[in-house]
Amino acid sequence: MVPSPITEDYYMVLKVGQTAAPELIIRSYKRLALELHPDRNAKHDATEAFQLLGRAYETLKDESKRQAYDLIYPSIRRSFPFPRTTQTPRPSPASPPQSEVLSEAAQIDALQKSKQERGARWWTKKNALDSSIFELQRNIRRLEQEIKNLDSIVAAEAATEAHKNSWGTWLLSPIYRKAEDSEEEKARKDRERQERRIEKDMKERRLESKKAELRKQEGLLTKAKEDVDAADGVENGKIRVLQKIISTRENRERQEREKIERDRLARIWQQQQEEREKQNREAAEALKRQQAEERKRHEEQIRKLQKIIDDDISNSRRLYAHLNLPEGSTRQAYTSNCCHDGWWPKVQGRRACPVCDEVWTYLLQCPGCIMKACPRCQSAIRPRIPRNAARTVRRDPPRVRTPSPNFYDDYY
């Protein structure tokens, strides 16, 4: 029993494209089977829709059946110019246009997918047209060869007839007598010539029809190629426009990001500048405090030095009390007459400097008074004499070097 021809668009039934992978077909079948199963679908044609879905799945999941179906799929598409669905879609109220819903990237993907599906359909149609064109060309070559064979037979008969009616045959006829054809033989030959002429005419007419059909198929192939190229050109233009929109938006977003980054860097630089200014102010304040502390310490040292001088004056007053000096003469002599000049002898012994409180192994004592100081403070207290000024040679009284009570402590 001859199976009934397939007239259903199985790709539309499964809601997939012609180039869909087997995994996509399986997923779509499982999803639609749950929707169209008679136990879940209350429509009157649920059973027929479910059976049609099963036939479509059985055809497209098998590779050989799918290839056979793809060969006749263009004719099925022509017979159903508008897509059909197994269920009536429910329009969503106040749904926005598709161009507003889809983003540019999704539109580009849809256009590229459409191009791929169109390319797949084009290759299927091209293969079918190429096979038909190849078959027509083979039939045309076979008819041309048969016509050529008939022409060669006619030419051979004509050559034989010409040779029979030539002068040489007439001259040699008394020598070589040949049997002449009978009436039946002549009638048979005439009938064969007439049959060959009729067969040639039929083959020529068939050849012309095959050539016309070949030109038609070639025209269809050319037109289909032009249609595909035109559709691809339109979609390529749309893709270029969308890509330009995407690149423009990306450039604008990049410029905004760069502006935000510049603003952030400017804020960071401003914060760092403020921090540096704050640190500079703090350093200046710290320097001022340090200078104030230095001045305070210097004033304290001066007060200590003044106290030491006052103590030395009081000691000198006690030492020279038997001389009956007037009140305040020692202080006046110390403060007004002593210029702390000359050679300051060493006073051995580890002790602290009365001026800076640093511990030294020896101190220097002023030759004009009893003031003692470390070498550092002595260089600051003793007046400096200009190089070209006249020096007054002051002879100190001879000193008797006596060992210090802390002699051993000084050296060990």
Side-chain angles (χ1 to χ4, degrees), residues 62-123:
D62 190 296
E63 189 66 27
S64 58
K65 292 181 181 180
R66 185 176 179 180
Q67 290 178 359
Y69 179 76
D70 287 341
L71 294 176
I72 63 174
Y73 182 67
S75 61
I76 297 174
R77 292 278 294 180
R78 286 194 297 270
S79 61
F80 296 100
F82 299 102
R84 299 183 304 136
T85 57
T86 56
Q87 291 182 344
T88 303
R90 298 178 182 177
S92 59
S95 60
Q98 188 72 13
S99 60
E100 295 179 0
V101 174
L102 294 177
S103 62
E104 288 82 0
Q107 293 180 25
I108 291 174
D109 293 338
L111 291 173
Q112 290 178 349
K113 185 178 180 181
S114 175
K115 285 178 60 179
Q116 292 176 358
E117 293 177 354
R118 186 184 301 107
R121 291 194 298 270
W122 155 246
W123 279 109

Side-chain angles (χ1 to χ4, degrees), residues 289-320:
R289 288 194 299 270
Q290 184 178 1
Q291 291 176 354
E293 292 176 357
E294 289 289 338
R295 286 195 299 272
K296 185 176 180 181
R297 189 165 51 251
H298 184 63
E299 292 174 357
E300 185 68 26
Q301 291 177 359
I302 291 174
R303 284 195 297 271
K304 288 182 179 180
L305 181 59
Q306 188 65 35
K307 186 176 180 298
I308 292 170
I309 293 172
D310 293 340
D311 294 340
D312 290 341
I313 291 172
S314 60
N315 293 332
S316 298
R317 188 179 294 115
R318 284 195 305 271
L319 290 174
Y320 300 102

Side-chain angles (χ1 to χ4, degrees), residues 11-192:
Y11 290 107
M12 188 63 65
V13 172
L14 287 171
K15 296 182 180 180
V16 294
Q18 190 178 0
T19 59
E23 295 81 6
L24 181 60
I25 293 174
I26 293 172
R27 288 198 300 269
S28 180
Y29 169 73
K30 291 180 179 179
R31 178 176 54 82
L32 293 174
L34 294 175
E35 296 178 1
L36 301 178
H37 197 275
D39 294 341
R40 296 188 176 186
N41 193 357
K43 291 188 176 182
H44 64 280
D45 58 345
T47 304
E48 296 178 359
F50 187 74
Q51 292 176 356
L52 178 61
L53 181 66
R55 289 197 301 272
Y57 175 68
E58 292 294 333
T59 301
L60 296 183
K61 77 173 183 178
D62 190 296
E63 189 66 27
S64 58
K65 292 181 181 180
R66 185 176 179 180
Q67 290 178 359
Y69 179 76
D70 287 341
L71 294 176
I72 63 174
Y73 182 67
S75 61
I76 297 174
R77 292 278 294 180
R78 286 194 297 270
S79 61
F80 296 100
F82 299 102
R84 299 183 304 136
T85 57
T86 56
Q87 291 182 344
T88 303
R90 298 178 182 177
S92 59
S95 60
Q98 188 72 13
S99 60
E100 295 179 0
V101 174
L102 294 177
S103 62
E104 288 82 0
Q107 293 180 25
I108 291 174
D109 293 338
L111 291 173
Q112 290 178 349
K113 185 178 180 181
S114 175
K115 285 178 60 179
Q116 292 176 358
E117 293 177 354
R118 186 184 301 107
R121 291 194 298 270
W122 155 246
W123 279 109
T124 303
K125 187 174 183 179
K126 182 177 180 298
N127 291 332
L129 291 174
D130 287 341
S131 62
S132 62
I133 289 171
F134 177 76
E135 188 67 24
L136 288 173
Q137 289 176 349
R138 188 175 65 178
N139 292 333
I140 288 171
R141 287 194 299 268
R142 180 173 58 79
L143 290 173
E144 288 177 348
Q145 184 64 35
E146 291 176 355
I147 291 172
K148 186 177 180 181
N149 293 335
L150 291 175
D151 290 339
S152 63
I153 291 173
V154 172
E157 288 180 352
T160 303
E161 189 66 25
H163 180 70
K164 185 184 295 186
N165 296 327
S166 64
W167 285 97
T169 304
W170 181 75
L171 291 174
L172 295 176
S173 60
I175 302 173
Y176 301 101
R177 291 188 177 273
K178 292 183 179 180
E180 295 183 357
D181 296 335
S182 61
E183 293 296 331
E184 295 179 355
E185 187 69 21
K186 289 180 180 180
R188 183 181 64 79
K189 290 182 179 181
D190 291 338
R191 190 170 55 252
E192 289 179 353

Side-chain angles (χ1 to χ4, degrees), residues 238-283:
K238 293 180 180 179
I239 290 173
R240 285 194 295 270
V241 171
L242 293 173
Q243 288 176 348
K244 186 176 180 180
I245 293 173
I246 291 173
S247 63
T248 303
R249 186 175 63 249
E250 289 178 351
N251 291 333
R252 184 169 61 253
E253 292 176 355
R254 187 179 66 253
Q255 291 175 0
E256 291 177 356
R257 288 195 301 269
E258 291 177 353
K259 182 179 179 181
I260 293 171
E261 184 67 19
R262 287 195 298 270
D263 294 341
R264 187 181 66 84
L265 293 176
R267 288 195 301 271
I268 292 174
W269 182 84
Q270 186 176 2
Q271 292 175 0
Q272 292 177 353
Q273 187 71 15
E274 293 176 355
E275 188 68 23
R276 284 194 294 269
E277 291 177 357
K278 182 179 178 181
Q279 292 177 358
N280 292 335
R281 287 195 299 270
E282 292 178 354

Side-chain angles (χ1 to χ4, degrees), residues 298 374-384:
H298 184 63
C374 64
R376 185 184 302 165
C377 296
Q378 182 261 353
S379 63
I381 294 170
R382 191 176 67 172
R384 296 182 178 275

